[in-house]
Amino acid sequence: MLILQARGLTKVYGGNHKVTTRALDNLSLDVEEGCFVGIMGPSGSGKTTLLNLLATIDRPTAGTVLVEGVETTKLIGRDLALFRRRRLGFVFQDYNLLDSLNIRENIILPLVLDRIDPEQIDRRLEEVATSLGIEDILTKYPYEVSGGQQQRVAVARAIIHRPALVLADEPTGNLDSRSAQRLMETFGRINAEAGVTIVMVTHDPFAASYCRITYFIKDGRLYNEIRRGDSRQRFFQQILDVLSQMGGGHHDTLADRP
Ligand SMILES: Nc1ncnc2c1ncn2[C@@H]1O[C@H](COP(=O)(O)OP(=O)(O)O)[C@@H](O)[C@H]1O
Ligand SMILES: [Mg+2]
């Protein structure tokens, strides 16, 4: 089943007498339920723009986005807010946790806002906290734990309400390589075991090598797509090959990491 259908997405910034930028140009993308999709491309190629359209954070100039068959590009007001809160999960580069809430309160926030029964909240919390290895830091505050831990908390918050789709923009961007590896193993595991559908934007080929399909975009259009076989190492190499073929822009970390 297709969980996400993006059709003919075009995004033009600016307008009137200002200079305009065509950040996305008639881009279409399908994502199957349970897939782990990576989106790569040079700096400025339109990755964040695409993710923001999929996330309902921004609206396309033209084109539509369907999530579970719901045309999110048509939703407004409370319907949009509810859809976003119930059916989508977000992980950002800078974690976006609330410093005034402890880790537990941060994670359960989407369920509390939805007035879910407290017993069920506790069950779900225990489940995700155990799965992400953060059960010992639940009473701490975000500023008391490491970046890697904060990002795992953000992942817990993104999946606790069992969303249709988790959207992540450069989730390893602020992490050291050890924490980045741990986060990607976590993404791989929640995808494989819990069947969480993930769309992740990254410029890091190592992070992308954990995905099952990686799409490459250039100048706002799809440039290529490759699928992972049995070997993550080989996938990593293939990703590097496509990136060097693409050229046109810098890719920060071409280190031979795995
Ligand atoms: N809010 C904005 N206003 C004007 N131009 C923007 C805005 N956001 C992004 N752009 C431009 O759109 C293009 C794509 O940007 P972006 O989606 O952020 O790329 P990426 O995430 O791949 O680096 C770039 O040329 C960028 O300068
Ligand atoms: Mg970006």
Side-chain angles (χ1 to χ4, degrees), residues 13-14 21-24 41-50 58 169-170 201 217:
Y13 291 110
T21 306
R22 186 171 289 261
L24 285 182
S43 178
S45 58
K47 302 182 296 295
T48 293
T49 300
L50 174 61
D58 199 2
D169 194 358
E170 305 280 6
V201 160
I217 64 177

Side-chain angles (χ1 to χ4, degrees), residues 39 134 142 177 179 181 238:
I39 296 175
I134 50 174
S177 61
S179 302
Q181 176 169 357
Q238 290 168 335

Side-chain angles (χ1 to χ4, degrees), residues 55-57 59 67-68 70-88 90 114:
T56 74
I57 291 168
R59 286 179 189 278
V67 177
E68 294 182 310
V70 174
E71 196 172 338
T72 57
T73 33
K74 284 247 171 72
L75 295 176
I76 52 168
R78 184 171 160 78
D79 290 341
L80 177 60
L82 282 181
F83 189 88
R84 198 183 279 161
R85 195 166 81 212
R86 292 182 176 160
R87 303 314 299 148
L88 302 177
F90 303 99
D114 243 3

Side-chain angles (χ1 to χ4, degrees), residues 7-132:
R7 293 275 174 274
L9 288 182
T10 295
K11 179 70 182 181
V12 178
Y13 291 110
N16 297 330
H17 303 293
K18 286 187 282 179
V19 180
T20 61
T21 306
R22 186 171 289 261
L24 285 182
D25 188 6
N26 196 25
L27 187 147
S28 297
L29 183 74
D30 284 342
V31 174
E32 290 278 347
E33 183 172 18
C35 201
F36 182 7
V37 169
I39 296 175
M40 299 199 79
S43 178
S45 58
K47 302 182 296 295
T48 293
T49 300
L50 174 61
L51 203 81
N52 287 347
L53 298 184
L54 302 181
T56 74
I57 291 168
D58 199 2
R59 286 179 189 278
T61 308
T64 57
V65 175
L66 282 91
V67 177
E68 294 182 310
V70 174
E71 196 172 338
T72 57
T73 33
K74 284 247 171 72
L75 295 176
I76 52 168
R78 184 171 160 78
D79 290 341
L80 177 60
L82 282 181
F83 189 88
R84 198 183 279 161
R85 195 166 81 212
R86 292 182 176 160
R87 303 314 299 148
L88 302 177
F90 303 99
V91 182
F92 299 99
Q93 180 169 346
D94 49 7
Y95 326 131
N96 279 26
L97 301 175
L98 298 174
D99 267 336
S100 56
L101 301 182
N102 70 21
I103 300 293
R104 175 180 183 279
E105 292 160 342
N106 265 283
I107 297 172
I108 66 175
L109 190 59
L111 300 181
V112 172
L113 290 173
D114 243 3
R115 298 165 200 266
I116 304 290
D117 161 56
E119 275 181 27
Q120 196 182 344
I121 291 184
D122 283 343
R123 270 201 307 277
R124 294 261 191 103
L125 176 68
E126 196 190 318
E127 202 178 291
V128 293
T130 309
S131 156
L132 293 172

